[in-house]
Every structure is written in structure tokens, then in C-alpha cells.
Amino acid sequence: MTESAQLNHAGPVQRYDVFHTDCPARSVVDHVTSKWGIWVLISLRSNDFRFYELRESIHGISEKMLAQTLRTLVQDGLVWREVEPTTPPQVTYGLTEFGRDLGEPLTELFDRITRRLPPHSAE
């Protein structure tokens, strides 16, 4: 495949060369496909979550890794963050339109994988 990935911006369409190490789209791909990035996007696909709810939905992730992953996904424009000024502050996360758009093929990939695996026995 010789076409570059595209990200839509207001105005003229910019093309990105994701195979170049300095391509800004490459860092977004790295964040989405990171060990925890993919699980955050899949977890948020159907619900918005508060931080602790999201942590409980992703088994094995530490608070530090979740905070770090969320920070990068918010900076990339994939996840939104809303802080309610309460004591203590309540922080809710959800997918932006861009995050939902990227989450669809990830969900499809996850569903394809789980359909092909042998039946899982509950332990």
C-alpha cells in the first residue's frame, strides 16, 4: 500500500507519511496500539467512566499507567476529560468522535479474535 494515512483538519487536507519517524500521526498510532491504549479505547466504546470505574474495568492496569495513558489519549484528541468541581474532584472520561471512529475497527478486531478462539471455560 503506497497511500499515506490522512487526518482531517479544517481547511486543505493534509497527508501524513506514517512511515517517517517524525510524522505526528505515528505517535497517535503508537498511543492507540500501546498495551493500555487499546484497552482504554475498547472500555470506553459503550460508556463514559469515572477514573476508578475505568481502572476497575481494565484488569491489571495500575493507577499510574491509566493516568499516563489517559493523558496521552486526551492530548491526541481521542478521549475527552470532564472534571466536576467537587471535593474530591470527580473526573469522567469518554470517547471523542475521533476516538469512536478509531475504536470501531479495534472493537471489530477484538470481536474477530474472540470469535476464533476456542470456547473459554470459567475458572
Side-chain angles (χ1 to χ4, degrees), residues 11-24:
V13 175
Q14 280 186 291
R15 292 211 173 262
Y16 292 89
D17 181 3
V18 295
F19 294 101
H20 192 279
T21 57
D22 294 335
C23 178

Side-chain angles (χ1 to χ4, degrees), residues 6-119:
Q6 284 183 264
L7 296 179
N8 290 327
H9 297 282
V13 175
Q14 280 186 291
R15 292 211 173 262
Y16 292 89
D17 181 3
V18 295
F19 294 101
H20 192 279
T21 57
D22 294 335
C23 178
R26 192 171 181 161
S27 67
V28 174
V29 171
D30 288 343
H31 298 154
V32 168
T33 60
S34 71
K35 178 177 181 178
W36 299 114
I38 196 166
W39 296 116
V40 168
L41 293 175
I42 288 172
S43 291
L44 290 172
R45 70 183 175 218
S46 57
N47 289 315
D48 301 338
F49 284 116
R50 292 205 171 122
F51 183 88
Y52 75 91
E53 294 170 322
L54 189 54
R55 188 186 73 224
E56 288 176 6
S57 76
I58 306 171
H59 295 248
I61 193 169
S62 68
E63 283 190 32
K64 178 183 176 184
M65 285 310 304
L66 179 57
Q68 201 173 354
T69 301
L70 285 167
R71 192 175 311 114
T72 59
L73 295 175
V74 167
Q75 289 171 350
D76 291 339
L78 301 170
V79 171
W80 55 261
R81 177 182 190 264
E82 181 179 83
V83 180
E84 293 179 41
T86 58
T87 305
Q90 294 181 351
V91 183
T92 305
Y93 295 90
L95 293 179
T96 63
E97 184 180 335
F98 185 25
R100 282 191 303 277
D101 190 38
L102 287 183
E104 286 179 30
L106 295 176
T107 298
E108 185 179 323
L109 174 65
F110 179 77
D111 290 345
R112 284 182 181 207
I113 290 169
T114 56
R115 278 194 310 265
R116 297 293 221 139
L117 291 174

